[in-house]
Amino acid sequence: MAVCDNVALGAYRLITASEAHGVPEPQPGQFYMLSSAERWGGGADERPYLPRAFSHARAREGRLSFLLEAIGPGTERLAQLLPGEGLNLVGPLGIGWRPPRDGSRPLLVGGGIGTAPLLCLQDDLGPDAPVLLGFRSAEHATASSLFAGRPEVATDDGSAGRQALVTDLLREHLDGDRAATVFACGPPAMLEAVRLACTQSGAPAQLALESGMACGFGACFGCVVPTRAGYVRLCVDGPVVDAEDLESAVFPTGGHA
Ligand SMILES: Cc1cc2nc3c(=O)[nH]c(=O)nc-3n(C[C@H](O)[C@H](O)[C@H](O)COP(=O)(O)OP(=O)(O)OC[C@H]3O[C@@H](n4cnc5c(N)ncnc54)[C@H](O)[C@@H]3O)c2cc1C
Ligand code: FES
């Protein structure tokens, strides 16, 4: 694919790429393994990095968009991609969000860069589903402008929306509507708080989890996480997992080179 756009969105980058012959239609919540076609790794005589895992934020008219936070060498290189540069991509991979249970109202809950896979879910479900988003600060909360309607925003420092945790907003919604199905993505501690709140209120929840991924298609077992039914490979059995299948949403994470 070739990068057609790479724009700053507050603390994040929104990278859009297209393929002349179109791309297979991904399901919301699936992911891709990405690497840049050029300068992926050290110098000419050093080994390249492994590709990195990213949920697609949007899939429209043969274009894929990724919302990215530059936190290390791979994401920093991707954040520098210029229009016209090549983006290597393997996917769509994994199992994404499933439809809400019969009659239940979807409730979307995102934390930080975990808002990415909720954007394409909202594109699918339509703008009526409530969206609750939590960020560190107003700079990160800029990503909320990508959502249709009026997402409820909370920030840690109160610089945008309410000064609260997104899980505070979630508890208020669950108190008012016990028939919601929750779709959540964010950092592990947030997902664990979502899991506990949903268990308490009896609301089914689907959690998009992360673990260190080396291959992305089931071969390396680098991404295994414990569930009530034993260990699963998050890249093929997830990344979206039912909260009721987990003892906890916090795992020790694997690294990658
Ligand atoms: C299914 C899936 C979907 C993802 N979607 C997105 C997305 O849409 N946008 C986005 O910005 N990021 C996403 N990520 C995270 C992204 O893959 C990592 O940020 C990236 O691999 C970091 O690479 P790096 O070389 O920049 O940093 P590294 O040097 O590899 O990592 C920097 C730090 O982050 C930790 N880390 C790296 N990857 C992970 C991980 N997967 N889980 C927990 N800790 C990790 C490392 O241990 C290290 O401390 C996703 C991850 C998964 C598994
Ligand atoms: S990333 Fe290799 S098995 Fe999941």
Side-chain angles (χ1 to χ4, degrees), residues 107-124:
L107 180 53
L108 280 51
V109 184
I113 196 67
T115 50
L118 296 174
L119 201 56
C120 49
L121 180 62
Q122 191 198 46
D123 287 345
D124 245 36

PDB file of all heavy atoms in Angstrom, residues 107-124:
ATOM      1  N   LEU A 107     -22.760   0.086  23.934  1.00  0.00           N
ATOM      2  CA  LEU A 107     -22.156   1.185  24.677  1.00  0.00           C
ATOM      3  C   LEU A 107     -20.654   1.085  24.443  1.00  0.00           C
ATOM      4  O   LEU A 107     -20.034   0.080  24.801  1.00  0.00           O
ATOM      5  CB  LEU A 107     -22.510   1.010  26.159  1.00  0.00           C
ATOM      6  CG  LEU A 107     -22.020   2.015  27.179  1.00  0.00           C
ATOM      7  CD1 LEU A 107     -22.369   3.434  26.797  1.00  0.00           C
ATOM      8  CD2 LEU A 107     -22.621   1.680  28.551  1.00  0.00           C
ATOM      9  N   LEU A 108     -20.084   2.109  23.791  1.00  0.00           N
ATOM     10  CA  LEU A 108     -18.681   2.051  23.373  1.00  0.00           C
ATOM     11  C   LEU A 108     -17.815   2.800  24.383  1.00  0.00           C
ATOM     12  O   LEU A 108     -18.122   3.956  24.720  1.00  0.00           O
ATOM     13  CB  LEU A 108     -18.520   2.677  21.985  1.00  0.00           C
ATOM     14  CG  LEU A 108     -18.893   1.832  20.763  1.00  0.00           C
ATOM     15  CD1 LEU A 108     -20.259   1.201  20.858  1.00  0.00           C
ATOM     16  CD2 LEU A 108     -18.771   2.644  19.471  1.00  0.00           C
ATOM     17  N   VAL A 109     -16.737   2.155  24.831  1.00  0.00           N
ATOM     18  CA  VAL A 109     -15.895   2.741  25.881  1.00  0.00           C
ATOM     19  C   VAL A 109     -14.428   2.647  25.459  1.00  0.00           C
ATOM     20  O   VAL A 109     -13.907   1.539  25.266  1.00  0.00           O
ATOM     21  CB  VAL A 109     -16.092   1.993  27.222  1.00  0.00           C
ATOM     22  CG1 VAL A 109     -15.301   2.671  28.336  1.00  0.00           C
ATOM     23  CG2 VAL A 109     -17.561   1.905  27.599  1.00  0.00           C
ATOM     24  N   GLY A 110     -13.764   3.792  25.308  1.00  0.00           N
ATOM     25  CA  GLY A 110     -12.375   3.782  24.850  1.00  0.00           C
ATOM     26  C   GLY A 110     -11.475   4.568  25.765  1.00  0.00           C
ATOM     27  O   GLY A 110     -11.867   5.590  26.333  1.00  0.00           O
ATOM     28  N   GLY A 111     -10.238   4.096  25.888  1.00  0.00           N
ATOM     29  CA  GLY A 111      -9.234   4.810  26.664  1.00  0.00           C
ATOM     30  C   GLY A 111      -8.002   5.072  25.816  1.00  0.00           C
ATOM     31  O   GLY A 111      -7.440   4.138  25.235  1.00  0.00           O
ATOM     32  N   GLY A 112      -7.596   6.330  25.669  1.00  0.00           N
ATOM     33  CA  GLY A 112      -6.369   6.680  24.959  1.00  0.00           C
ATOM     34  C   GLY A 112      -6.377   6.191  23.527  1.00  0.00           C
ATOM     35  O   GLY A 112      -7.375   6.310  22.811  1.00  0.00           O
ATOM     36  N   ILE A 113      -5.268   5.597  23.120  1.00  0.00           N
ATOM     37  CA  ILE A 113      -5.130   5.113  21.734  1.00  0.00           C
ATOM     38  C   ILE A 113      -6.106   3.943  21.477  1.00  0.00           C
ATOM     39  O   ILE A 113      -6.389   3.598  20.339  1.00  0.00           O
ATOM     40  CB  ILE A 113      -3.651   4.726  21.453  1.00  0.00           C
ATOM     41  CG1 ILE A 113      -3.398   4.607  19.958  1.00  0.00           C
ATOM     42  CG2 ILE A 113      -3.239   3.462  22.183  1.00  0.00           C
ATOM     43  CD1 ILE A 113      -3.500   5.911  19.217  1.00  0.00           C
ATOM     44  N   GLY A 114      -6.653   3.384  22.557  1.00  0.00           N
ATOM     45  CA  GLY A 114      -7.668   2.323  22.446  1.00  0.00           C
ATOM     46  C   GLY A 114      -8.981   2.801  21.844  1.00  0.00           C
ATOM     47  O   GLY A 114      -9.898   2.016  21.638  1.00  0.00           O
ATOM     48  N   THR A 115      -9.067   4.094  21.539  1.00  0.00           N
ATOM     49  CA  THR A 115     -10.264   4.570  20.843  1.00  0.00           C
ATOM     50  C   THR A 115     -10.274   4.101  19.388  1.00  0.00           C
ATOM     51  O   THR A 115     -11.323   4.088  18.751  1.00  0.00           O
ATOM     52  CB  THR A 115     -10.327   6.115  20.850  1.00  0.00           C
ATOM     53  OG1 THR A 115      -9.072   6.617  20.406  1.00  0.00           O
ATOM     54  CG2 THR A 115     -10.609   6.657  22.230  1.00  0.00           C
ATOM     55  N   ALA A 116      -9.081   3.723  18.848  1.00  0.00           N
ATOM     56  CA  ALA A 116      -8.971   3.424  17.409  1.00  0.00           C
ATOM     57  C   ALA A 116      -9.996   2.387  16.923  1.00  0.00           C
ATOM     58  O   ALA A 116     -10.757   2.663  15.990  1.00  0.00           O
ATOM     59  CB  ALA A 116      -7.544   2.997  17.072  1.00  0.00           C
ATOM     60  N   PRO A 117     -10.074   1.197  17.525  1.00  0.00           N
ATOM     61  CA  PRO A 117     -11.000   0.193  16.970  1.00  0.00           C
ATOM     62  C   PRO A 117     -12.468   0.478  17.273  1.00  0.00           C
ATOM     63  O   PRO A 117     -13.348  -0.237  16.798  1.00  0.00           O
ATOM     64  CB  PRO A 117     -10.547  -1.107  17.649  1.00  0.00           C
ATOM     65  CG  PRO A 117      -9.878  -0.681  18.896  1.00  0.00           C
ATOM     66  CD  PRO A 117      -9.256   0.658  18.618  1.00  0.00           C
ATOM     67  N   LEU A 118     -12.738   1.521  18.082  1.00  0.00           N
ATOM     68  CA  LEU A 118     -14.139   1.890  18.339  1.00  0.00           C
ATOM     69  C   LEU A 118     -14.691   2.788  17.236  1.00  0.00           C
ATOM     70  O   LEU A 118     -15.895   2.869  17.034  1.00  0.00           O
ATOM     71  CB  LEU A 118     -14.253   2.599  19.691  1.00  0.00           C
ATOM     72  CG  LEU A 118     -13.892   1.715  20.878  1.00  0.00           C
ATOM     73  CD1 LEU A 118     -13.892   2.530  22.153  1.00  0.00           C
ATOM     74  CD2 LEU A 118     -14.855   0.544  20.997  1.00  0.00           C
ATOM     75  N   LEU A 119     -13.767   3.427  16.514  1.00  0.00           N
ATOM     76  CA  LEU A 119     -14.191   4.340  15.454  1.00  0.00           C
ATOM     77  C   LEU A 119     -14.874   3.561  14.316  1.00  0.00           C
ATOM     78  O   LEU A 119     -15.974   3.908  13.876  1.00  0.00           O
ATOM     79  CB  LEU A 119     -12.950   5.071  14.952  1.00  0.00           C
ATOM     80  CG  LEU A 119     -13.128   6.367  14.242  1.00  0.00           C
ATOM     81  CD1 LEU A 119     -13.906   7.362  15.081  1.00  0.00           C
ATOM     82  CD2 LEU A 119     -11.748   6.938  13.916  1.00  0.00           C
ATOM     83  N   CYS A 120     -14.236   2.480  13.864  1.00  0.00           N
ATOM     84  CA  CYS A 120     -14.848   1.695  12.780  1.00  0.00           C
ATOM     85  C   CYS A 120     -16.078   0.946  13.301  1.00  0.00           C
ATOM     86  O   CYS A 120     -17.008   0.659  12.538  1.00  0.00           O
ATOM     87  CB  CYS A 120     -13.851   0.746  12.131  1.00  0.00           C
ATOM     88  SG  CYS A 120     -12.905  -0.244  13.275  1.00  0.00           S
ATOM     89  N   LEU A 121     -16.110   0.654  14.616  1.00  0.00           N
ATOM     90  CA  LEU A 121     -17.323   0.036  15.171  1.00  0.00           C
ATOM     91  C   LEU A 121     -18.474   1.035  15.115  1.00  0.00           C
ATOM     92  O   LEU A 121     -19.600   0.679  14.729  1.00  0.00           O
ATOM     93  CB  LEU A 121     -17.058  -0.419  16.609  1.00  0.00           C
ATOM     94  CG  LEU A 121     -18.229  -1.089  17.314  1.00  0.00           C
ATOM     95  CD1 LEU A 121     -18.639  -2.386  16.592  1.00  0.00           C
ATOM     96  CD2 LEU A 121     -17.895  -1.411  18.774  1.00  0.00           C
ATOM     97  N   GLN A 122     -18.198   2.299  15.472  1.00  0.00           N
ATOM     98  CA  GLN A 122     -19.265   3.302  15.376  1.00  0.00           C
ATOM     99  C   GLN A 122     -19.688   3.498  13.921  1.00  0.00           C
ATOM    100  O   GLN A 122     -20.877   3.667  13.627  1.00  0.00           O
ATOM    101  CB  GLN A 122     -18.815   4.644  15.958  1.00  0.00           C
ATOM    102  CG  GLN A 122     -19.981   5.599  16.110  1.00  0.00           C
ATOM    103  CD  GLN A 122     -19.587   7.057  16.262  1.00  0.00           C
ATOM    104  OE1 GLN A 122     -18.758   7.575  15.537  1.00  0.00           O
ATOM    105  NE2 GLN A 122     -20.208   7.727  17.222  1.00  0.00           N
ATOM    106  N   ASP A 123     -18.733   3.455  12.982  1.00  0.00           N
ATOM    107  CA  ASP A 123     -19.082   3.576  11.558  1.00  0.00           C
ATOM    108  C   ASP A 123     -20.088   2.488  11.182  1.00  0.00           C
ATOM    109  O   ASP A 123     -20.984   2.704  10.381  1.00  0.00           O
ATOM    110  CB  ASP A 123     -17.835   3.445  10.675  1.00  0.00           C
ATOM    111  CG  ASP A 123     -16.941   4.679  10.747  1.00  0.00           C
ATOM    112  OD1 ASP A 123     -17.404   5.726  11.243  1.00  0.00           O
ATOM    113  OD2 ASP A 123     -15.772   4.587  10.315  1.00  0.00           O
ATOM    114  N   ASP A 124     -19.915   1.289  11.770  1.00  0.00           N
ATOM    115  CA  ASP A 124     -20.790   0.150  11.465  1.00  0.00           C
ATOM    116  C   ASP A 124     -22.146   0.261  12.160  1.00  0.00           C
ATOM    117  O   ASP A 124     -23.182  -0.003  11.575  1.00  0.00           O
ATOM    118  CB  ASP A 124     -20.123  -1.137  11.949  1.00  0.00           C
ATOM    119  CG  ASP A 124     -19.767  -2.058  10.810  1.00  0.00           C
ATOM    120  OD1 ASP A 124     -19.386  -1.514   9.757  1.00  0.00           O
ATOM    121  OD2 ASP A 124     -19.875  -3.289  10.981  1.00  0.00           O
TER     122      ASP A 124
END
